[in-house]
Amino acid sequence: MNIANLLTQLVIPINFAMALLLLATVLLLFKKRKRAFSVTLIAVAWTWFWSMPAASIWLGGHLENQYTYQAAEHNPIADAIVVLGGHTANSRHNWFEAYDPEKTTTRIQRGASLYQAQRAPVIMVSGAALDGGTSEAQTMARYLKNQGIPSTAILIEEQSFTTRENALYSAKLLQEHQLHTVLLVTSALHMPRSAAAFRKENVQVIAAPVAPQITRPNASWLSIWLPSYQALNASRSIIKEYVGLLVYWIRGWI
């Protein structure tokens, strides 16, 4: 487990709250009641904050809105399209709505639509085999071929397990094929870290994210301030991105 994933696991609301409650129990055993109360209060506040949809809309929306989503045909022309493996919130249309497979929009679907809109003559797919089986890149390449995209237009990078490796190995492959400007495809939430990592590898990036997923639900304004298990569970993706940005910045990867 890398540093970013370890820190993410530590500050995920449920994990963090359990750790703090354990600490509070120890403090109580040593008769440190005031400190135990303060620690418990922090645990409850942290969990309550992330359980409100408003928190996700605020902090997740800040990341998602750094790059504007445009219909495929409105994106500029580039040398290549690069699609990163992975899924954010199961590619659901809206974090706060029930999962509907009919409404999902995946990264590879976005990449295919850009290629079909003739935004670039080459499409690269990037991602290793996370479970030791077929790589994400191979799975995405198979989808592209099923959409009628020729094999000669598809480049496969299947060594990368992390965003940094996506950028590192993709940059090498792009350089080998003399491809300089790319339309980068990933989730809107993941785009700030991804774009920065690719630029660090001297790749000319044009962000072409999947449509934002963290949008206000069609309900009363009060609903976004009410605790929701769905919001609490989804918050880990937002926390992961902020932790990832911090770790990547510290390590000089962005």
Side-chain angles (χ1 to χ4, degrees):
M1 182 179 290
N2 59 43
I3 294 175
N5 285 338
L6 177 60
L7 288 175
T8 300
Q9 291 301 317
L10 288 174
V11 296
I12 282 174
I14 297 297
N15 295 351
F16 189 58
M18 290 179 65
L20 289 180
L21 290 174
L22 179 61
L23 175 59
T25 302
V26 173
L27 290 170
L28 280 174
L29 292 175
F30 285 92
K31 298 183 179 181
K32 305 288 186 179
R33 293 183 178 84
K34 289 184 177 179
R35 291 184 182 179
F37 176 78
S38 298
V39 170
T40 301
L41 191 61
I42 292 171
V44 172
W46 183 252
T47 306
W48 184 278
F49 174 80
W50 284 109
S51 71
M52 293 187 298
S56 293
I57 293 170
W58 173 39
L59 291 171
H62 173 70
L63 293 178
E64 284 200 332
N65 295 323
Q66 288 187 26
Y67 293 97
T68 304
Y69 169 80
Q70 301 182 82
E73 62 272 15
H74 294 153
N75 281 268
I77 303 295
D79 296 330
I81 300 160
V82 177
V83 184
L84 306 187
H87 302 275
T88 300
N90 294 320
S91 301
R92 68 174 63 212
H93 174 69
N94 188 312
W95 277 26
F96 308 110
E97 295 179 2
Y99 177 75
D100 183 350
E102 299 281 330
K103 293 183 178 179
T104 58
T105 303
T106 65
R107 299 175 185 184
I108 193 58
Q109 287 173 335
R110 172 66 163 164
S113 67
L114 288 165
Y115 180 87
Q116 289 160 351
Q118 300 181 341
R119 299 298 92 187
V122 175
I123 182 165
M124 178 190 294
V125 286
S126 175
L130 302 179
D131 58 1
T134 304
S135 69
E136 289 186 288
Q138 289 287 354
T139 300
M140 290 191 289
R142 188 180 305 121
Y143 173 86
L144 294 175
K145 292 171 186 176
N146 289 338
Q147 296 301 306
I149 297 175
S151 300
T152 53
I154 302 171
L155 294 178
I156 297 174
E157 183 289 296
E158 53 184 345
Q159 294 178 272
S160 56
F161 288 93
T162 65
T163 301
R164 197 244 173 173
E165 291 180 353
N166 283 144
L168 186 65
Y169 298 136
S170 294
K172 291 179 180 179
L173 195 54
L174 289 165
Q175 187 175 24
E176 289 174 11
H177 289 81
Q178 298 183 340
L179 302 169
H180 308 290
T181 304
V182 305
L183 285 163
L184 183 61
V185 177
T186 187
S187 65
L189 185 69
H190 186 224
M191 184 59 77
R193 181 158 59 104
S194 301
F198 271 76
R199 288 177 179 135
K200 188 70 175 180
E201 300 302 323
N202 298 313
V203 178
Q204 297 174 37
V205 172
I206 302 168
V210 176
Q213 298 166 275
I214 308 173
T215 56
R216 183 171 175 168
N218 295 322
S220 68
W221 68 270
L222 181 61
S223 66
I224 68 171
W225 299 99
L226 297 177
S228 160
Y229 177 75
Q230 188 170 326
L232 181 64
N233 188 51
S235 68
R236 66 178 60 219
S237 294
I238 300 172
I239 293 170
K240 176 184 177 181
E241 283 311 311
Y242 278 104
V243 170
L245 284 165
L246 175 62
V247 170
Y248 276 42
W249 177 73
I250 291 172
R251 302 196 70 171
W253 294 345
I254 58 175

